[in-house]
Amino acid sequence: MALDIGRHQLEREVRAARDAGRATPSVIIVGGGLSGLAMGMQLVRSGVGDFTILERSDGVGGTWRDNTYPGSGCDVPSHLYSFSFFPKSNWTRRFAEQPEILSYAEQCVERFGLGPHLRLGTTVRRATFDRDTRRWRLLVTSSAGDETLESDTVVFACGQLNRPHVPALEGMESFAGPSWHSARWDHGCELSGRRVAVVGSGASAIQFVPPVAAEAGALTIFQRSPNYVGPKKDRAYSAWGRRLFDAVSPVERAYRWWIYLSLEVRWLWFRKDSWAGRKLAELFRSGISQEVVSDRLPEASVVPDYPIGCKRILISNDWYPALMRPNVSVVDQAISHVEADAVVTADGQRHLTDVLIFGTGFSTTDFLSHIPVTGADGRSLAETWREGARAYLGVAVPGFPNCYLLYGPNTNLGHNSILFMVERQMNLILQAMAVQTRATTDETPPLVGVNADAYRRDDERTQRLMQRTAWVANCRSWYKAATGRVTNNWPTWTFRYWYDTLRLRPSDVGLTAPTWTDPSPAHRPPARYEPAPTHGPTDEHPVAPATR
Ligand code: NAP
C-alpha cells in the first residue's frame, strides 16, 4: 500500500533477518506523546520487538496529558486526529475535548500492547553516539536513580509544545496568590468570586478564558496582541452517526478524506498576500466591527494589525462573548511588574489580582536543547543548530546516524492535522530502519544517515518556500526564532510533504561511512558523557550507495 511503504519494507526486512538468524536493530523512542506512541505502534506492526519508549511523566499522551485546563480541546476535526492505521470512528463530537483525546492515546497503548515497552517516570538527561560500539547511549534518571541505556537507533518524539514558557516578570516572586501556567493547571484552586488575571490571549487562553470568566468574580486579560478568531463549527455526533462511522469503515474513511481536503484548501490563506487570505481578513474585520467592537472593546483590542495567517488562526464560539462579559476586561498595556496583590502595567495602573494564570505558550524554537545530544563527530545538536534548528524533511541531521526526529523542525502546520505529518515522517524513518535492518550483521553495526548536501538543499528549499508564506510577515509568533527564521512550520501544501516523504531517496539517506576519520588517541571520542570538544562544522558525510 503506497501510504505505508516504510512499514511494509521494515516488516519484510525484520522477517528476513529472523529467518536468517540475524539480529534486528534495537530502538529507543524518547517521548510518550502521540508521536512516540505512533512510532511504537508502527514498530509493533513491523514485527520489531526490541524497543523502549521513555516518558518523563507518569502517563502517556504528551500535550494531551499536560493540558487539562478547562475547555482544553483540539481545533482540528476529531476524525483527522487519529492515526490512519488505528482510526477512531466513535468520536463524540466534531472537535474532541482533551479527555477523549487522552483516552485515545491510552487505547493506542492497550490495542498495540505498548505497555511492556513503556518506561514512565524516566527522564533522558543526555544522548551520545558511541563511536566504539556504534550505538546510542542514553543517560536516564528515574526513581531508581541514574542509568545508561543503549540502542542501535534513537527516535526523539519530544514534540514542539512541551516546555511551558513563563515570562520573567519583575516582582513575580512577591506575588502572594497562586499562579500557574495553562499546561500545569491547578485544579484545586477555587476561582469562584476571585480576581483572576490571565497573561496571554493565544490558542490556549481562548479556550480556558470563557469557563474561567464564568466562574471568577473579575477577570483581567493582559493581551500583547489580538488574534484572528473565527467561529468553531462544533457539534456532538448523534448516536446514529457514530454507529454508522463505526460499522461502515468506508464511510469513516471518506469522511477523513473530506476533512483532509477541506482543510488542505485552507493553505491558500497562509500564502503571503494571498487573495484568499485578504478576503478572509476582510470578512473577519466586518464581522467583528458589527458584533464586538464597542467602547469597552475598541478595535485595537480585537482586530490584529498583522496579516492573517502570520499566527495560528484560532476558532472559538465563546471567546468574544467572554470578552463582552461585564466582569471581564482586556488590558493592552504592557506589564511593568507584579506586586503582592496586583499586576502593574506600564501606564502605572494597578490591577488587583488574587490568582495569576499564564497562557503564555511554550519554548518552541530550540527543539531538543533540553537534552544534550552528541553525534558521531563529537558535535552536539545545539552546535549544529547554532543558526537555527533544521532537519532533512524534519527527521534527520547529518552526523547523527541512526537518529531521527518526529514533529521536528519545519513540520508544524497551521491548516491541517499534525498527525498526518507524523505519519509521513514515520514512513521515511521506517524505510531508513529497513535499510539498517537489512545491513545488520553480527559484526559492525551499520550506520544510516542523511548526507550533508541533501540536508543543505532541503533546508534551502524550505526557507525559500517560507518566504512565500504569511509566517514571515511582521508579527511575533512561536514559529519564529529570535533571528526571524521560521523554524517550526512546513512552508507549503501537505501533499507536497506526502510526496517528498513517500520514498527514501538513496542519494539523500542511506548507509553511510563513519564520519570520524582519525582513530588515533588524540582524536578518540571524548570520555562518555563528558562535554564534547568543539569540532568545526563538517560538511563531508560520505554516503555509500544504499544496499538496494
Ligand atoms: P500561544 O498561542 O503562543 O500564545 C501565547 C500568548 O501569550 C500570546 O497571546 C502571546 O502574545 C502571549 N505572551 C507570550 N509571552 C508574553 C509576555 N512576555 N508578555 C505578555 N504576553 C505574552 O501559546 P498557546 O496559547 O499555549 O498555544 C500554543 C500552540 O499550542 C498553539 O498555537 C497551537 O498550535 C497549540 N494549541 C492547540 C490547541 C488546539 O486546539 N489544537 C489548543 C491550544 C494550543 P503575542 O501573541 O503578542 O506573542
Side-chain angles (χ1 to χ4, degrees), residues 69 73 75 167 201 203-204 207 224-225 311-312 359-362 478:
Y69 58 76
D75 59 7
S201 59
S204 303
Q207 294 187 333
R224 205 161 56 173
S225 30
K311 297 186 201 217
R312 191 172 180 88
T360 41
F362 299 83
W478 65 263

Side-chain angles (χ1 to χ4, degrees), residues 350-365:
R350 292 184 85 247
H351 304 268
L352 294 175
T353 302
D354 302 320
V355 180
L356 182 48
I357 304 174
F358 291 95
T360 41
F362 299 83
S363 300
T364 53
T365 54

Side-chain angles (χ1 to χ4, degrees), residues 97-244:
E97 290 170 358
Q98 175 265 340
E100 197 171 6
I101 304 173
L102 182 59
S103 142
Y104 171 70
E106 288 158 356
Q107 284 162 29
C108 291
V109 174
E110 204 179 302
R111 172 68 80 85
F112 288 81
L114 298 181
H117 298 274
L118 266 171
R119 279 195 56 176
L120 301 174
T122 306
T123 303
V124 176
R125 300 269 168 230
R126 213 174 260 277
T128 304
F129 182 80
D130 185 321
R131 294 182 198 175
D132 293 339
T133 58
R134 296 189 173 200
R135 304 184 85 206
W136 282 91
R137 291 171 61 84
L138 279 77
L139 176 66
V140 303
T141 304
S142 65
S143 56
D146 288 355
E147 70 185 293
T148 298
L149 306 178
E150 288 197 13
S151 67
D152 296 300
T153 308
V154 63
V155 180
F156 290 99
C158 300
Q160 296 192 6
L161 300 163
N162 62 1
R163 281 170 303 130
H165 161 70
V166 177
L169 297 179
E170 196 189 318
M172 191 57 212
E173 66 291 346
S174 66
F175 184 66
S179 82
W180 61 82
H181 184 275
S182 56
R184 303 284 182 271
W185 200 267
D186 180 352
H187 291 277
C189 180
E190 184 63 57
L191 296 178
S192 172
R194 300 179 82 180
R195 293 167 301 195
V196 179
V198 169
V199 185
S201 59
S204 303
I206 68 144
Q207 294 187 333
F208 70 72
V209 157
V212 168
E215 205 184 334
L219 171 58
T220 309
I221 301 164
F222 295 92
Q223 173 174 263
R224 205 161 56 173
S225 30
N227 282 287
Y228 289 92
V229 185
K232 185 175 188 177
K233 292 183 180 148
D234 194 15
R235 68 185 170 87
Y237 290 119
S238 64
W240 179 88
R242 288 163 62 187
R243 271 203 302 275
L244 177 72

